[in-house]
Amino acid sequence: MELAIEVIGLRRSFGNVLALDDVSIKVSRGELVSLLGPNGAGKTTLVRHLYCELKPQSGSVKVLNENPCNRRVRLRMGVTPQEAEPYYDLSVFDNVYYAARIRGLSSHEAMMRAEDTIKHLGLLEYRDKYVMDLSGGLKRRTLIAMAVAHSPEVMVLDEPTTGLDPVARRELWELLRSLKGEGRTILLTTHYMEEAEALSDRVYFINKKVIDEGTPMELRKKFAYYYEVIDLETGKLYRVKEDEVRDFISKLNGRFEVRAPSLEDVYLEVMKNA
Amino acid sequence: MLREILALASMFIKEAKAWILVNIFFLIIFPIAMIFSFRYIIAGDMIYYLISGTITFQIAITGFVAVPQTIGMDRERGRLSLMIASGVPAWAYAMTSTLVNNIMAIASGFLIIGIAALISSLGISPISIVLLLASLMAGTFQGSMIGLALAAKVRNWRLLNQLTQLLGFGLTFFAPVYFPLGAVPKYLLPLAMLEPTTYIAQAVRLSLTGSYASLIWDAATLIYGVAFAVLADKWGLG
């Protein structure tokens, strides 16, 4: 499958602090891939290389088969950097319109795209509101509208749901699913395991280097040598080895629940051993 | 790229209406008040120092305060990253923001001259206007490059805000801006010559009197600005 993003042997340090050590990731066209890792794991540093805010000290970064420092590549990308905010003193429409304009669209085309994107992203009733008057979720939605208005092939979203309430997060998930449904390639960084599990085709665990990689199910299976058994009568949770589960539950009186480790359990296990 | 820069400029101008009151105060009302108040205690040719000092103050406020604070805020709020990700180089973003900030400062310079001519019957020749335009452009370039270098070097937004205000006011009132360079004690002269506003003030004052010597100060002002542009580029804004 054709690659949309290819990072090979990327290494980056800031002074004496090593941020990325020989990181390699690949994202195929149309995939939604998540980068998971603790604070300071280098996720944002990696992402900043993808839109050329940072240049590799060693290794290589390619987006759509080209160096992302080439401006024409970035015009085919939509990026929401971590903690970026739209312009508060402009309306939602103006933010989206100017985002399209500075990517080289004509005034007429930018206006049409801005109108379409605002409608498509459920921002129509806020079209003329100043961004400073919007909730955190709507600000984030505006930011995504700014990133998507020029119809990019590749989207890079750095922690787009951090700080959002559960409803706003779920709304954003739906939005990401619909963007993926349109055939866009999406690279997402997140702290939320359930988010990665719900949205991603594949996941990379990162902590300065790639710790593990696979589909959420592959990763869960890899660590499925134990199950969690919850005794619903007492509320007690047991971690039971795979081959002992049948014997164990036969000894329980009453109702119980058996579940495989979640992606979060796998993540904690992987990070502990990393 | 020109089309994108024009789009950015248009966005900044649209956004600027949010702080138009502060702009009107600092760039229009404040200079009127300065000239109106101080002309009564200033005699003869010293009026030129009042006018050139006030214009230099405008340039200092724009270059050392508005420019770095705007860039600092945009970096703090991730907008610089957003622009880089959108294919706009950091320098293009910074220069466009700077240009929009300086349009007001240059307009204000001429407004001050107009007010001074009306209030104090100041004689301004056409050549003075041409020389003044050159001095204003050199001054705003220098001020803005120092502002960008500051924004590049100081990454702590709060510290940047404090430092820029200190510099904006400090370099206006602790430099030969409102008084002659010749009045500076000899032992303080090297310090005065290190202050960027010294060059702008001399250039503006000489241009007001129609002296071509202003061009020498303009050249020094530009060299000072280029040196800081190199530093800003070296330190990087992103």
Side-chain angles (χ1 to χ4, degrees):
Chain A
M1 205 172 193
E2 197 185 345
L3 291 177
I5 297 172
E6 186 179 26
V7 177
I8 301 172
L10 181 63
R11 189 182 163 86
R12 177 86 203 190
S13 54
F14 298 99
N16 295 327
V17 181
L18 182 66
L20 292 172
D21 184 15
D22 195 24
V23 168
S24 298
I25 67 163
K26 287 178 180 175
V27 181
S28 298
R29 273 184 183 263
E31 260 194 319
L32 196 158
V33 172
S34 294
L35 302 180
L36 282 166
N39 289 331
K43 302 187 295 295
T44 295
T45 302
L46 172 55
V47 162
R48 289 174 74 195
H49 283 85
L50 296 178
Y51 60 86
C52 195
E53 192 171 5
L54 293 174
K55 290 178 182 163
Q57 286 168 336
S58 70
S60 70
V61 176
K62 278 187 180 175
V63 178
L64 297 166
N65 278 325
E66 287 194 64
N67 183 342
C69 292
N70 187 334
R71 186 167 177 263
R72 70 169 175 262
V73 178
R74 278 179 287 164
L75 296 181
R76 295 164 69 192
M77 297 171 69
V79 182
T80 62
Q82 193 181 26
E83 291 171 9
E85 294 172 357
Y87 290 83
Y88 282 13
D89 300 310
L90 294 177
S91 68
V92 169
F93 175 81
D94 282 337
N95 266 286
V96 181
Y97 166 77
Y98 282 113
R101 288 282 283 144
I102 59 172
R103 285 178 171 105
L105 270 65
S106 70
S107 177
H108 176 71
E109 207 177 349
M111 213 171 275
M112 302 286 281
R113 292 274 185 87
E115 295 289 8
D116 278 354
T117 309
I118 284 170
K119 207 163 148 186
H120 182 59
L121 267 65
L123 287 165
L124 200 55
E125 66 177 295
Y126 310 100
R127 183 192 181 281
D128 298 318
K129 281 207 186 297
Y130 281 107
V131 165
M132 70 180 133
D133 297 327
L134 301 181
S135 67
L138 289 170
K139 280 181 189 142
R140 210 57 67 87
R141 200 172 266 254
T142 304
L143 204 61
I144 292 178
M146 290 167 73
V148 83
H150 61 299
S151 210
E153 294 159 61
V154 176
M155 297 195 67
V156 178
L157 309 171
D158 195 0
E159 297 189 9
T161 58
T162 299
L164 298 186
D165 65 47
V167 175
R169 270 177 64 203
R170 296 284 164 153
E171 283 175 3
L172 212 55
W173 288 9
E174 284 312 308
L175 181 63
L176 295 180
R177 282 193 186 108
S178 99
L179 291 171
K180 181 182 171 347
E182 290 165 7
R184 297 180 212 281
T185 306
I186 301 176
L187 181 74
L188 181 78
T189 76
T190 180
H191 281 301
Y192 303 115
M193 303 301 139
E194 76 276 22
E195 182 167 291
E197 196 160 7
L199 297 173
S200 315
D201 296 316
R202 284 189 305 117
V203 170
Y204 280 90
F205 288 147
I206 286 187
N207 196 2
K208 299 188 192 297
K209 53 189 177 182
V210 174
I211 309 292
D212 214 331
E213 173 265 331
T215 66
M217 281 314 289
E218 279 170 356
L219 289 168
R220 286 177 65 177
K221 273 186 198 161
K222 208 166 175 177
F223 291 86
Y225 49 79
Y226 71 89
Y227 283 83
E228 286 178 355
V229 180
I230 303 166
D231 184 340
L232 295 175
E233 302 301 320
T234 62
K236 277 189 178 172
L237 186 145
Y238 304 93
R239 293 180 79 180
V240 185
K241 283 183 185 165
E242 191 177 10
D243 51 359
E244 294 170 3
V245 171
R246 282 174 198 279
D247 285 348
F248 186 86
I249 56 178
S250 66
K251 289 173 193 158
L252 290 175
N253 295 318
R255 293 186 306 160
F256 56 85
E257 182 182 315
V258 181
R259 66 183 185 202
S262 65
L263 193 64
E264 184 157 332
D265 298 321
V266 174
Y267 171 84
L268 292 171
E269 189 82 14
V270 168
M271 288 301 166
K272 192 172 70 185
N273 298 329
Chain B
M1 180 52 80
L2 183 65
R3 191 159 76 165
E4 288 79 350
I5 287 177
L6 289 175
L8 260 182
S10 152
M11 183 179 89
F12 287 137
I13 289 167
K14 197 157 196 180
E15 202 192 6
K17 67 185 177 201
W19 53 84
I20 196 75
L21 283 178
V22 175
N23 268 345
I24 288 173
F25 176 75
F26 269 110
L27 298 173
I28 300 172
I29 309 294
F30 182 74
I32 292 175
M34 286 283 279
I35 293 170
F36 194 79
S37 308
F38 289 107
R39 74 187 171 109
Y40 291 105
I41 53 171
I42 286 171
D45 281 353
M46 293 307 283
I47 187 74
Y48 286 105
Y49 286 97
L50 174 64
I51 296 162
S52 62
T54 305
I55 291 174
T56 305
F57 184 43
Q58 295 302 331
I59 293 171
I61 288 290
T62 304
F64 309 153
V65 184
V67 167
Q69 287 192 2
T70 305
I71 297 296
M73 183 181 70
D74 284 344
R75 185 172 51 218
E76 182 78 6
R77 294 192 168 165
R79 289 169 191 156
L80 217 51
S81 300
L82 198 61
M83 288 296 142
I84 294 168
S86 306
V88 178
W91 66 264
Y93 184 80
M95 292 307 285
T96 313
S97 165
T98 300
L99 186 70
V100 172
N101 274 308
N102 279 316
I103 286 171
M104 286 288 276
I106 290 177
S108 169
F110 283 105
L111 185 80
I112 293 167
I113 300 299
I115 295 161
L118 276 175
I119 297 177
S120 304
S121 308
L122 193 74
I124 302 285
S125 65
I127 192 65
S128 297
I129 299 291
V130 175
L131 290 173
L132 179 66
L133 181 63
S135 299
L136 284 173
M137 289 175 77
T140 50
F141 171 75
Q142 185 223 57
S144 301
M145 290 309 111
I146 294 172
L148 288 183
L150 271 171
K153 191 67 181 169
V154 183
R155 298 291 164 145
N156 179 326
W157 188 34
R158 282 173 187 271
L159 179 63
L160 181 66
N161 283 354
Q162 290 176 28
L163 204 60
T164 52
Q165 286 180 45
L166 271 177
L167 280 175
F169 286 89
L171 291 175
T172 301
F173 296 104
F174 291 93
V177 167
Y178 279 101
F179 55 90
L181 181 59
V184 177
K186 271 191 178 166
Y187 68 94
L188 283 178
L189 212 50
L191 192 64
M193 294 311 288
L194 275 178
E195 294 182 288
T197 41
T198 301
Y199 299 85
I200 305 172
Q202 311 315 310
V204 170
R205 185 179 54 78
L206 287 167
S207 68
L208 286 177
T209 60
S211 166
Y212 287 102
S214 68
L215 294 172
I216 298 168
W217 289 98
D218 284 344
T221 304
L222 282 173
I223 291 167
Y224 210 119
V226 168
F228 274 87
V230 171
L231 285 177
D233 183 54
K234 187 184 166 197
W235 291 330
L237 291 163

